[in-house]
Amino acid sequence: MDAKVKKQTLLVTALNGMIRAMGFLLRILMSRMLGAEMMGIAELASGVHMLAITPLTSGLPMAISRLTAKANEKERTGPVTAGILLVRQVAVFLIPAFLLFSPLIAGWTGDKRVLPSLWFTAPCILILGYSGVYNGFCYGIKRSYLPAVSELTEQTLRVLFTLCLLPVLHDLTAPWLAAVPVASTMVAEIAGLVLVMVILRIPLEGSRDSSKWKSEILHLAVPSTVTRFIHTLLRSVTSIIIPLRLMASGLPSSEATARLGMLNGMVLPVMMTPCIFTGALGMVMAPRLAESDENARSCKQMLFILFAAGLIVSVLCTVALALLAPLFAIFIYRLPELTALFRAATPLCFLCAFENLTGGAVTALGLQKRSMYGALPSSLAALMLTWLLTAQPVIRLHGVIIGLAAGHICCILWNGWILFGWWKNQTVR
């Protein structure tokens, strides 16, 4: 790994670590201010939020990054202007449709109190679509730190707005109080986008001339978008069925919603810790893999470095979280009953990071279309296990963890098979 890659990876990791730490702090304070049941409402809204922004945030950044890295100096703004045009065209239809169907979506979640949160989600579709395009351009020109700086700005403002508004607006009804963090997120995302636009100052007057890039962007972005959409859709469905299956196991509705808040709002975010590093490493390495995808030896060396570094960090984080489970449960969240849940979920730490590594490598090599075919079976396996096991009184939330682990393992095996095939073909050549 050359010095520049090391420097950018460490910088982005440090910034992402700060972002994740602030988000973690916000979750802790929100859990104390709102309680587990309100956190459950927030998690239901978060699942829909992730689903709504997926079409414009999942495949676009990597597609723009790859095309920008491979383009010559004079054409590097072409993918950006084409991406912006594409975001506008999709958002014109997606935002009104989302607003129109928000009451119906709120009913599907099983808790109509999420409706105000969904209204604040709608503008985020356009905002984050723009951000995804600009972030992809930054990765493509190897200025990986700039998206992280933008996200740090967003996270800082989000924390400040949320913590300032919640005490002031504490008399609001539960649905509107749960929407405060979403509204704060929307405002913070606007600020982060403006920051990147001001720094880059990319002229967009040539948007019409850049339409030739649109087909290439769609070719690269659609498979990743479909894959992420499937995962996000089934994850959102999982968030909806967890309270229903917990009620089937004998818990009252309020307790079931609170358990969802404990798992999705407190435990699972901690399990994503190693992705701070693996995500940063993958985004820094992706444009370099794109530039050298015709040089098999160079690609193999970078892939070896990617997996070696990522696995070391993942194992260390997994061991650390297993040892620190009581600390998170008792001293941070003040819920001793979370200790067993933290320990049971610890394997997800390694599995999330390893899936992140394999998925990032497949996408960076331009093989995301093959990865798409494994997304639905793995997600369905996770959903079915969650449905069957969560309703068992002796298992409950541990059934969700088993389902998630099965889904991650299926994705890892599928992506591993794709990478093995690519490696074998390069060896034959």
Side-chain angles (χ1 to χ4, degrees):
M1 189 185 298
D2 61 65
K4 192 170 183 180
V5 172
K6 287 181 181 179
K7 184 178 179 180
Q8 287 201 25
T9 302
L10 290 174
L11 178 59
V12 175
T13 300
L15 292 172
N16 284 346
M18 294 172 64
I19 294 166
R20 189 63 62 87
M22 294 175 68
F24 183 55
L25 175 63
L26 180 60
R27 283 179 178 274
I28 294 170
L29 296 176
M30 282 176 57
S31 67
R32 295 180 181 178
M33 296 169 72
L34 299 177
E37 184 178 359
M38 290 290 288
M39 288 293 288
I41 298 172
E43 286 304 316
L44 286 172
S46 176
V48 179
H49 176 91
M50 293 302 298
L51 189 62
I53 66 174
T54 293
L56 292 178
T57 60
S58 53
L60 269 181
M62 187 61 76
I64 300 294
S65 171
R66 185 174 176 82
L67 292 174
T68 301
K70 294 175 72 69
N72 59 51
E73 194 70 30
K74 293 181 180 179
E75 295 184 321
R76 280 195 164 179
T77 59
V80 180
T81 51
I84 292 296
L85 181 62
L86 189 62
V87 167
R88 291 172 181 170
Q89 292 172 341
V90 174
V92 163
F93 296 98
L94 199 56
I95 292 177
F98 183 80
L99 288 172
L100 179 64
F101 289 104
S102 288
L104 183 61
I105 296 170
W108 287 343
T109 66
D111 195 326
K112 292 186 178 182
R113 291 177 293 179
V114 304
L115 184 57
S117 298
L118 302 188
W119 289 335
F120 286 113
T121 289
C124 297
I125 296 172
L126 179 64
I127 299 165
L128 291 178
Y130 266 65
S131 295
V133 172
Y134 280 106
N135 289 348
F137 176 76
C138 292
Y139 291 123
I141 61 174
K142 300 182 180 66
R143 295 177 67 179
S144 307
Y145 66 90
L146 191 52
V149 170
S150 172
E151 289 181 31
L152 181 61
T153 302
E154 292 175 18
Q155 189 74 298
T156 302
L157 293 176
R158 177 176 174 242
V159 170
L160 290 175
F161 290 151
T162 302
L163 295 183
C164 289
L165 289 175
L166 282 177
V168 174
L169 303 175
H170 67 278
D171 290 331
L172 289 175
T173 58
W176 286 100
L177 196 60
V180 169
V182 186
S184 300
T185 299
M186 180 190 70
V187 176
E189 286 167 353
I190 294 173
L193 174 61
V194 170
L195 175 65
V196 174
M197 293 177 69
V198 169
I199 293 174
L200 292 177
R201 296 184 180 276
I202 301 174
L204 299 179
E205 290 80 5
S207 301
R208 296 176 182 175
D209 300 331
S210 66
S211 58
K212 64 179 182 179
W213 291 97
K214 189 185 296 185
S215 60
E216 294 187 59
I217 292 173
L218 290 173
H219 176 73
L220 291 172
V222 168
S224 294
T225 300
V226 171
T227 300
R228 182 69 65 83
F229 187 81
I230 291 171
H231 285 310
T232 306
L233 174 61
L234 292 179
R235 194 170 297 165
S236 299
V237 172
T238 301
S239 295
I240 293 170
I241 70 169
I242 288 173
L244 298 176
R245 301 306 288 166
L246 288 174
M247 284 188 280
S249 75
L251 293 178
S253 176
S254 59
E255 177 65 16
T257 303
R259 293 286 183 94
L260 173 66
M262 290 165 63
L263 179 66
N264 284 10
M266 302 177 190
V267 175
L268 293 185
V270 178
M271 298 304 129
M272 300 291 289
T273 301
C275 293
I276 297 172
F277 177 78
T278 57
L281 182 61
M283 292 308 295
V284 170
M285 296 288 279
R288 290 167 173 80
L289 283 167
E291 288 179 338
S292 61
D293 60 1
E294 296 179 1
N295 186 334
R297 183 177 180 182
S298 178
C299 279
K300 287 181 178 181
Q301 288 176 343
M302 280 189 276
L303 284 175
F304 180 80
I305 293 169
L306 178 71
F307 279 99
L311 286 174
I312 291 171
V313 172
S314 301
V315 170
L316 291 176
C317 287
T318 302
V319 173
L321 288 178
L323 296 174
L324 295 175
L327 174 66
F328 283 104
I330 299 171
F331 295 102
I332 295 180
Y333 286 116
R334 298 178 182 175
L335 292 171
E337 61 268 30
L338 280 179
T339 302
L341 200 58
F342 265 110
R343 285 179 171 157
T346 299
L348 294 178
C349 180
F350 177 80
L351 293 174
C352 286
F354 200 24
E355 183 186 343
N356 188 255
L357 283 172
T358 57
V362 167
T363 303
L365 292 171
L367 304 173
Q368 56 267 51
K369 188 174 182 179
R370 300 180 192 177
S371 180
M372 177 179 66
Y373 300 129
L376 184 59
S378 60
S379 296
L380 284 176
L383 184 64
M384 289 301 298
L385 283 172
T386 300
W387 175 269
L388 293 172
L389 299 177
T390 307
Q392 304 302 317
V394 296
I395 301 178
R396 286 178 174 156
L397 289 182
H398 291 78
V400 182
I401 294 170
I402 293 171
L404 290 174
H408 287 310
I409 291 170
C410 289
C411 281
I412 290 168
L413 292 175
W414 183 261
N415 290 333
W417 179 78
I418 294 171
L419 291 172
F420 176 77
W422 175 87
W423 191 285
K424 187 176 179 181
N425 288 337
Q426 297 302 317
T427 303
V428 171
R429 290 180 186 178

